[in-house]
Amino acid sequence: MRHIRKPEMDKKIKLIYLILILTLNFSCVEKKSTEKETDSPELVATSKTNTLKFTSAIRAIFQDSKGNYWIGSHNEGVSFYNGESFNYFTINEGLSDNQIRSIQEDENGKIWFGTANGISVYDQGRFTNYPSKNNNLLFDWDKTRGNLWFYAWEEDGINRFDGTNMNYLIFPKPKNKKPNTSYGVTGISKDKDGKVWIATYAALYSYDDKMVNIFDAEKLNLKDNEQLHIRSVLADSKGRIWIGNNGIGVLLMEGNSTINFSEKNKLIHPTSTRKGDNKSQPGTLEHPFAIEEDSEGNIWFGDVYTGAWKYDGKTFKNYAVSDNPSKPMIWTIYKDNKNNLLFGMADGNIFKFNGKTFEKQF
C-alpha cells in the first residue's frame, strides 16, 4: 500500500473543499434564478426622441421621486422622460411585455411595471422580471405584507410583493357567481386608512390586512338588467369609493350605501343598452375607464366616448380633451408631483388641464 505524504494529503483536502464551495455557490445561484428571471445586461434605450413618439394608447403615467416621467403605452413599451428627451424601453431591453398597465416606485427608488404578461422592476439600468403567476399561491392574504400590488393578466388573483417574494393572492369568489364571469383586475386604489380596493370585471374587493370583503352585483345594488363590468376604482380623500362600470356609468359607495351616480344625475341615455356594447351619446357618462381626484377635491372621470367630466360636489362640467374625434378615449388620469392633472389618450398623446382648457403636454 502506498502511503500518501502529508503535503499531498493537504492538497487533496484543499481540492475537495474548493469543489464543495463551488458546488454550493452554483446551487444557490440556481435556486435564486427560479425565483425571478435573471437580470438583463446594462440597458441602452432603443431610441431617443425630443417628442413622445407613441401612437398606441397611453395606459399609465408616473412621475418618480426625482421628477422624471415614466409613460406606459398600450403595445409599445415604456418611455422615460428626464425633462430633455424621451428614451424608450421594450421587451428587447428586458421588459416582460410591451403593454404597460401600471407604474409605481418603491421606497428604494426602484420603478415597477405591471404589464400584460408579468411584472418588471427597473433598478440602476437593469430589468428584473417576475411571472404573472408563480408558485407562491396564497388563499390566506393576511400571511403576506407589502405595499406593492400588481395586476398582470392572470384572472383569478392579484400579485403582492413583500420585499423578497412575489406572492399571488387568490380571490375569494362570490357564492352567486356565474360560470363565465371574469375576475381580471382592472384597477387598484388605496384609501386614507390604508385599505386596498381592487376592481375586477365581476366584483370589487377591499382588503385591510386582515379581511377580504367582496362587493358583487347584489351588494352594489345593480338592477336585474344590469351587469358588473368594472373598469376603474378610486378611493377619494373623503372616504368615498367611486366605481367606473362599463355600460352603467359611475357607482358611488358611501358607507353602507351604494347608488348609480350616473343615473341619479341623468347621465345615462334612455336608449342605452347598459351593457357597454353601444357608443355613448353626447352628454352621457356611461363608460368611465379612468377616475382621479384633483388637489381641490374635484372628482374627474374619463369616458371612452364623451371626454372628461369634472364633478365639484354639486355640478358637472364636460370637456372634450382631444381634437382627434376618432380616438376620444381617455385611458388614464394622473396627478403628478406638482398637482398637474394629466390625461393619457387613446391616440398616444398626453394633455394637461391648465384650470380652464386642455393643452398638449407630451
Side-chain angles (χ1 to χ4, degrees):
M1 180 180 294
R2 178 175 175 261
H3 293 283
I4 300 175
R5 289 177 297 178
K6 190 173 184 304
E8 290 184 52
M9 179 70 75
D10 291 341
K11 286 181 181 180
K12 287 197 173 185
I13 292 174
K14 288 180 180 180
L15 181 60
I16 292 170
Y17 180 75
L18 179 60
I19 292 171
L20 179 62
I21 292 297
L22 289 173
T23 303
L24 288 173
N25 285 341
F26 180 77
S27 65
C28 289
V29 170
E30 287 295 300
K31 183 180 180 181
K32 183 178 180 182
S33 66
T34 60
E35 290 183 2
K36 56 187 178 181
E37 296 180 13
T38 54
D39 294 341
S40 301
E42 195 73 18
L43 291 179
V44 178
T46 53
S47 60
K48 182 183 293 186
T49 60
N50 293 325
T51 57
L52 185 63
K53 71 171 187 178
F54 286 151
T55 57
S56 63
I58 304 299
R59 294 196 59 155
I61 305 170
F62 181 75
Q63 188 177 23
D64 65 25
S65 57
K66 297 177 181 178
N68 305 304
Y69 286 94
W70 299 83
I71 301 166
S73 71
H74 182 62
N75 59 30
E76 299 168 274
V78 172
S79 181
F80 168 77
Y81 180 64
N82 60 6
E84 297 180 357
S85 62
F86 295 86
N87 292 271
Y88 300 88
F89 303 104
T90 67
I91 56 175
N92 295 329
E93 287 72 51
L95 270 175
S96 293
D97 193 87
N98 283 339
Q99 184 179 112
I100 309 301
R101 298 181 173 184
S102 66
I103 309 174
Q104 54 191 309
E105 183 177 11
D106 68 17
E107 60 185 8
N108 298 314
K110 298 178 182 179
I111 307 298
W112 293 79
F113 305 94
T115 80
N117 186 28
I119 299 149
S120 298
V121 55
Y122 181 81
D123 180 34
Q124 297 180 0
R126 297 171 180 264
F127 280 108
T128 301
N129 296 326
Y130 297 82
S132 300
K133 192 172 182 178
N134 53 43
N135 295 326
N136 296 323
L137 301 180
L138 294 174
F139 290 89
D140 297 326
W141 291 30
D142 58 357
K143 291 184 178 180
T144 66
R145 290 293 180 267
N147 295 320
L148 295 175
W149 298 79
F150 306 93
Y151 48 107
W153 191 252
E154 294 292 346
E155 294 195 355
D156 55 0
I158 188 167
N159 295 282
R160 187 185 196 185
F161 187 66
D162 63 12
T164 302
N165 298 309
M166 187 68 69
N167 298 294
Y168 191 69
L169 310 184
I170 303 299
F171 287 129
K173 304 293 176 64
K175 294 180 180 179
N176 58 346
K177 74 180 184 71
K178 298 178 181 178
N180 60 349
T181 297
S182 168
Y183 290 87
V185 178
T186 56
I188 302 171
S189 184
K190 295 178 183 178
D191 67 21
K192 59 183 181 179
D193 298 320
K195 183 184 294 184
V196 179
W197 293 84
I198 304 166
T200 77
Y201 291 112
L204 177 70
Y205 293 88
S206 70
Y207 178 61
D208 60 2
D209 267 338
K210 295 179 181 178
M211 182 180 297
V212 182
N213 288 306
I214 310 168
F215 302 87
D216 58 7
E218 182 179 351
K219 284 190 177 180
L220 294 174
N221 295 328
L222 265 63
K223 299 175 182 177
D224 291 338
N225 66 331
E226 298 174 336
Q227 63 182 14
L228 277 183
H229 189 157
I230 302 175
R231 292 307 308 247
S232 54
V233 63
L234 171 72
D236 73 10
S237 60
K238 297 181 177 64
R240 300 173 296 187
I241 307 301
W242 301 88
I243 305 160
N245 196 98
N246 188 28
I248 59 173
V250 178
L251 306 176
L252 174 59
M253 185 189 301
E254 290 188 273
N256 296 321
S257 174
T258 303
I259 63 169
N260 188 316
F261 194 70
S262 289
E263 185 173 60
K264 179 182 178 182
N265 289 279
K266 298 180 172 58
L267 297 176
I268 298 180
H269 198 272
T271 63
S272 173
T273 64
R274 295 175 178 253
K275 295 180 180 179
D277 57 357
N278 66 313
K279 183 177 179 179
S280 294
Q281 298 295 318
T284 61
L285 179 53
E286 299 175 355
H287 307 269
F289 272 45
I291 311 176
E292 183 58 278
E293 182 177 13
D294 67 20
S295 59
E296 297 176 354
N298 302 308
I299 307 299
W300 288 80
F301 308 96
D303 192 90
V304 174
Y305 302 103
T306 61
W309 290 82
K310 175 186 174 183
Y311 177 65
D312 65 5
K314 295 181 180 179
T315 60
F316 281 91
K317 190 168 183 178
N318 187 204
Y319 299 87
V321 178
S322 173
D323 57 1
N324 186 348
S326 65
K327 292 185 176 180
M329 180 181 177
I330 300 168
W331 262 109
T332 185
I333 307 173
Y334 176 72
K335 183 171 63 179
D336 71 9
N337 298 348
K338 294 184 178 179
N339 291 323
N340 295 311
L341 219 56
L342 304 178
F343 293 73
M345 308 300 295
D347 61 3
N349 291 311
I350 297 175
F351 289 85
K352 180 178 74 173
F353 183 66
N354 62 18
K356 295 182 179 180
T357 60
F358 290 81
E359 56 189 39
K360 187 175 178 180
Q361 180 76 0
F362 302 125

